[in-house]
């Protein structure tokens, strides 16, 4: 059973912080890429952050640069997303992934490449 189990999220005030973790299991090989996507109400799913298997390179959406930090712990098979200085526009459902596809390929991702989705709500 391939699965990604997320924990974290919740309701915070603007300017606050949240931390996500995602434990990956059941894959034959360690995924080369681990990342985070989110889906705001009424919007399509978008990439937030991606980190490579060696942990030495990470990328971020322009909207979260300087506020979000992705990290990876190979020993614990876990990827993290630290979210600081949260804004109301960060509100949405967050998903961890074992791939970091461009927008046009998101719909082609197998369902077991995604975490279950966790709500983040940032109040103004």
């Amino acid at each position: 059973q391939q699965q990604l189990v997320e924990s974290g999220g919740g309701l915070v005030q603007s300017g606050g912080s949240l931390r996500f973790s995602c434990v990956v299991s059941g894959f034959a090989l360690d995924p080369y890429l681990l990342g985070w996507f989110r889906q705001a109400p009424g919007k399509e799913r978008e990439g937030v952050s991606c980190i490579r298997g060696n942990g030495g390179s990470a990328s971020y959406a322009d909207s979260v640069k300087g506020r979000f930090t992705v990290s990876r712990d190979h020993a614990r098979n876990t990827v993290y997303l630290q979210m600081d200085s949260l804004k109301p526009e960060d509100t949405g459902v967050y998903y961890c992934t074992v791939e970091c596809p461009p927008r046009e390929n998101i719909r082609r991702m197998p369902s077991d490449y995604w975490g279950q989705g966790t709500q983040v709500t940032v109040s103004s």
Side-chain angles (χ1 to χ4, degrees), residues 28-47:
L29 298 173
D30 289 340
Y32 179 68
L33 299 173
L34 294 174
W36 294 91
F37 283 70
R38 68 185 180 188
Q39 189 164 15
K43 304 291 183 63
E44 66 180 3
R45 200 167 297 182
E46 64 177 351

Side-chain angles (χ1 to χ4, degrees), residues 1 9 15 29 45 47 49 53 56 61 70-71 73 85-86 89 105 118 123:
Q1 179 78 16
L29 298 173
R45 200 167 297 182
S49 183
V70 65
S71 60
D73 185 337
S85 301
L86 284 161
E89 53 262 43
N105 290 340
T118 306
S123 62

Side-chain angles (χ1 to χ4, degrees), residues 13-113:
Q13 189 175 5
S14 181
S17 297
L18 289 170
R19 185 171 184 264
F20 271 117
S21 64
C22 175
V23 180
V24 179
S25 64
F27 291 87
L29 298 173
D30 289 340
Y32 179 68
L33 299 173
L34 294 174
W36 294 91
F37 283 70
R38 68 185 180 188
Q39 189 164 15
K43 304 291 183 63
E44 66 180 3
R45 200 167 297 182
E46 64 177 351
V48 174
S49 183
C50 186
I51 186 167
R52 291 180 169 82
N54 62 10
S57 180
S59 61
Y60 300 90
D62 288 342
S63 60
V64 306
K65 285 180 180 177
R67 300 187 297 117
F68 289 12
T69 304
V70 65
S71 60
R72 183 172 182 170
D73 185 337
H74 288 278
R76 297 176 62 88
N77 300 311
T78 303
V79 61
Y80 303 91
L81 185 67
Q82 178 68 41
M83 302 179 288
D84 298 318
S85 301
L86 284 161
K87 304 175 180 179
E89 53 262 43
D90 296 317
T91 293
V93 178
Y94 284 68
Y95 303 85
C96 62
T97 71
V98 293
E99 187 55 87
C100 300
R103 184 195 62 79
E104 61 268 24
N105 290 340
I106 289 175
R107 295 177 181 178
R108 299 170 62 88
M109 290 253 291
S111 60
D112 59 2
Y113 279 27

